[in-house]
Amino acid sequence: MSITSTIESALKANQLAAQHGIDLSKLPKIMDMSADSITSNVHAINSTCPDERTKFIFKNLINHLHDFIRETSITTEEWMSAIHFLTQTGQMCSDVRQEFILLSDVLGVSTLVDAINHAKPPTATEATVLGPFFTEDAEHLENGESIASEGKGDYMFVEGRVLDTKGNPIAGAIIDTWESDKNGLYDVQYSNRDKPDCRGRLMSAADGSYSFRAIVPIPYTVPSDGPIGGLFKRLGRHAFRPAHLHMVIEAPGFEKLITALFFEGDPYLTSDAVFGVRTSLIVKPEIITDEKKTVARGFAQRKPHAYVKKDFVLATPEEGADARKASKRA
């Protein structure tokens, strides 16, 4: 290659880099990589990142990732298997299924992120994992109406109040709730889904009260027809979640609460596949045998129903911040 061609190539390279906001002359010189030098060289090339938080996160990510590779002596075959696994995980994702959230859940990452970022004061309701089946299309309901169509499972009536940490009612809180049906499936897991079912959105009344008709959820396996199912088998773990009812509550001036109710006596309470159970969130349903009360609460058939009463206590941003500071000190 002639000197002229070399100069022209260099100028073109600089022009192309400049289109992306990069000045090649200011980049560190990195060549001749080895197992000993690769980590420091990745840090060097990332050192021009303009955002300090992004740079901090990636520095730590690279340190831990490279240390993991060194400590475990990952083989090329194992590395390719990991790439294939993550590719499959992405391919399983859709508008109604988030396989990466499920992966985060079963590795305990979701719970760890939640524990760090959503610590609550002792008097507030504990948070737990969101799970992969939340949707934005839940129908708006009035208090007392049903989130589930008829035939989806055994009747359950849920009521309580939304309060602040001082016991004052919170009016106008938006409550999203969803659950699996008698087959252990969420509505989005049915290919013929044409509308939301076993989910709804309602608002707390002036006295903070809320109520809705639902069904008794059952334990179920998290989706195991994809790469996460294979991971469970490889690790010798079961894929079951204890029965639960998801709740997300939001109100102006308060931190958003992502939580769920679990049910006393469930065999999977102590081995939840996604590490979501909190003792404070376990409730004991009362079985109401008075069929007149069943009908009075709006259920179609005259038969017993389960009854759950649970208050939810929201923290203010200031109370949440204090709880997180205390958690870090501990």
Side-chain angles (χ1 to χ4, degrees):
M1 181 181 291
S2 68
I3 295 176
T4 301
S5 298
T6 301
I7 293 173
E8 289 177 349
S9 295
L11 288 172
K12 186 176 181 180
N14 277 288
Q15 289 169 353
L16 290 173
Q19 291 176 10
H20 297 279
I22 304 297
D23 184 347
L24 292 180
S25 67
K26 294 182 179 180
L27 294 181
K29 305 299 185 285
I30 54 172
M31 294 176 65
D32 301 322
M33 303 301 160
S34 69
D36 293 327
S37 68
I38 182 62
T39 304
S40 60
N41 277 300
V42 175
H43 290 326
I45 202 70
N46 289 344
S47 63
T48 58
C49 175
D51 184 83
E52 289 300 320
R53 177 63 179 172
T54 299
K55 185 161 60 175
F56 169 78
I57 289 172
F58 272 86
K59 182 177 181 179
N60 282 275
L61 172 63
I62 290 159
N63 281 339
H64 289 295
L65 185 57
H66 286 204
D67 285 344
F68 168 76
I69 298 298
R70 293 187 182 98
E71 290 169 6
T72 57
S73 298
I74 290 292
T75 66
T76 302
E77 290 74 19
E78 289 168 336
W79 174 69
M80 286 305 299
S81 293
I83 297 297
H84 181 62
F85 172 80
L86 292 174
T87 301
Q88 286 185 308
T89 300
Q91 290 169 339
M92 287 298 295
C93 295
S94 68
D95 291 341
V96 294
R97 176 169 175 174
Q98 234 306 343
E99 195 80 356
F100 271 109
I101 289 181
L102 183 58
L103 175 59
S104 174
D105 289 347
V106 303
L107 294 180
V109 175
S110 299
T111 292
L112 179 58
V113 171
D114 178 74
I116 292 171
N117 290 276
H118 298 111
K120 306 292 183 186
T123 53
T125 300
E126 283 191 278
T128 189
V129 294
L130 177 67
F133 295 117
F134 171 76
T135 69
E136 295 285 357
D137 64 349
E139 294 181 354
H140 291 263
L141 306 173
E142 297 297 324
N143 277 298
E145 291 186 333
S146 181
I147 69 170
S149 59
E150 189 66 22
K152 286 294 182 177
D154 294 330
Y155 292 157
M156 181 170 71
F157 192 80
V158 184
E159 69 176 346
R161 293 194 299 162
V162 182
L163 308 168
D164 65 19
T165 57
K166 297 178 177 61
N168 300 309
I170 300 175
I174 302 298
I175 303 168
D176 267 289
T177 182
W178 67 102
E179 61 177 335
S180 61
D181 62 16
K182 65 182 179 182
N183 298 316
L185 296 173
Y186 289 89
D187 57 350
V188 295
Q189 293 178 278
Y190 289 98
S191 59
N192 62 347
R193 179 188 192 257
D194 58 359
K195 65 177 182 178
D197 202 353
C198 294
R199 67 177 71 237
R201 180 173 295 150
L202 56 151
M203 182 181 294
S204 63
D207 62 352
S209 64
Y210 73 89
S211 62
F212 59 91
R213 303 195 308 277
I215 58 170
V216 178
I218 65 170
Y220 65 85
T221 59
V222 299
S224 300
D225 57 337
I228 308 307
L231 180 63
F232 276 125
K233 292 179 181 177
R234 192 72 180 266
L235 295 174
R237 289 171 53 182
H238 73 68
F240 278 91
R241 291 219 65 198
H244 58 280
L245 175 70
H246 289 279
M247 305 284 285
V248 172
I249 305 175
E250 297 183 77
F254 295 90
E255 291 192 330
K256 180 179 181 178
L257 174 64
I258 299 173
T259 192
L261 298 181
F262 300 89
F263 299 87
E264 185 176 300
D266 192 291
Y268 299 106
L269 284 175
T270 57
S271 59
D272 181 8
V274 305
F275 311 98
V277 178
R278 310 286 185 274
T279 302
S280 67
L281 301 177
I282 298 173
V283 297
K284 183 178 182 179
E286 178 185 355
I287 303 302
I288 305 299
T289 57
D290 185 346
E291 296 178 355
K292 291 181 180 179
K293 187 169 287 188
T294 300
V295 174
R297 284 176 168 162
F299 292 107
Q301 299 182 44
R302 300 176 66 90
K303 60 181 183 180
H305 67 276
Y307 171 71
V308 172
K309 186 171 185 178
K310 176 68 175 180
D311 293 340
F312 292 94
V313 180
L314 306 188
T316 64
E318 295 77 15
E319 291 170 333
D322 288 343
R324 287 184 284 280
K325 287 179 183 176
S327 178
K328 287 182 180 179
R329 287 196 297 269

